[in-house]
Amino acid sequence: MAVAAVVSPSAHLQTTVTHRSPRVPEFSKDEVADHCEIHSCWIIVCDKVYDVTNFTREHPGGLDVIMEYGGRDATVAFMDKGHSNDAWIVLSDYYIGELVKKDRINK
């Protein structure tokens, strides 16, 4: 005959493990600036860092447009161009982290 164990809710709460989300990598502007070549191209948009190396040749506006902002903040250029929601979704695929707080525009 099988015996069922009864566990009280308080016992369950005591054994619950708290899972923390992994820390988001943070990069300084100087670190981003090191990635301004065709073989390693990072940009900053709205204080977020994106590795767009694998997108540079696919960019509808051309390689030169992205390379102009490689290693730098491309927020104004990206926003002024009026990119579509689809462009924002594509950009999100290349997200690798955030700027460190001291380098953020929106602190």
Side-chain angles (χ1 to χ4, degrees), residues 21-65:
S21 10
R23 288 183 52 101
V24 173
E26 291 188 336
F27 304 96
S28 69
K29 279 189 173 182
D30 289 339
E31 288 175 295
V32 174
D34 289 339
H35 300 272
C36 60
E37 304 290 334
I38 190 102
H39 65 276
S40 183
C41 183
W42 293 8
I43 61 171
I44 301 163
V45 177
C46 299
D47 295 330
K48 296 183 183 323
V49 180
Y50 301 89
D51 179 350
V52 294
T53 305
N54 293 328
F55 182 69
T56 55
R57 295 188 191 279
E58 298 172 25
H59 185 254
L63 170 71
D64 293 342
V65 174

Side-chain angles (χ1 to χ4, degrees), residues 45-46 65 69 73-84 88:
V45 177
C46 299
V65 174
Y69 293 96
D73 193 316
T75 302
V76 172
F78 194 87
M79 302 293 274
D80 282 353
K81 185 63 180 165
H83 283 90
S84 66
W88 282 97

Side-chain angles (χ1 to χ4, degrees), residues 61-100:
L63 170 71
D64 293 342
V65 174
I66 289 187
M67 292 310 302
E68 180 179 347
Y69 293 96
R72 300 187 310 136
D73 193 316
T75 302
V76 172
F78 194 87
M79 302 293 274
D80 282 353
K81 185 63 180 165
H83 283 90
S84 66
N85 286 339
D86 288 343
W88 282 97
I89 291 168
V90 169
L91 182 65
S92 70
D93 290 342
Y94 298 96
Y95 173 79
I96 59 170
E98 305 280 331
L99 276 180
V100 294

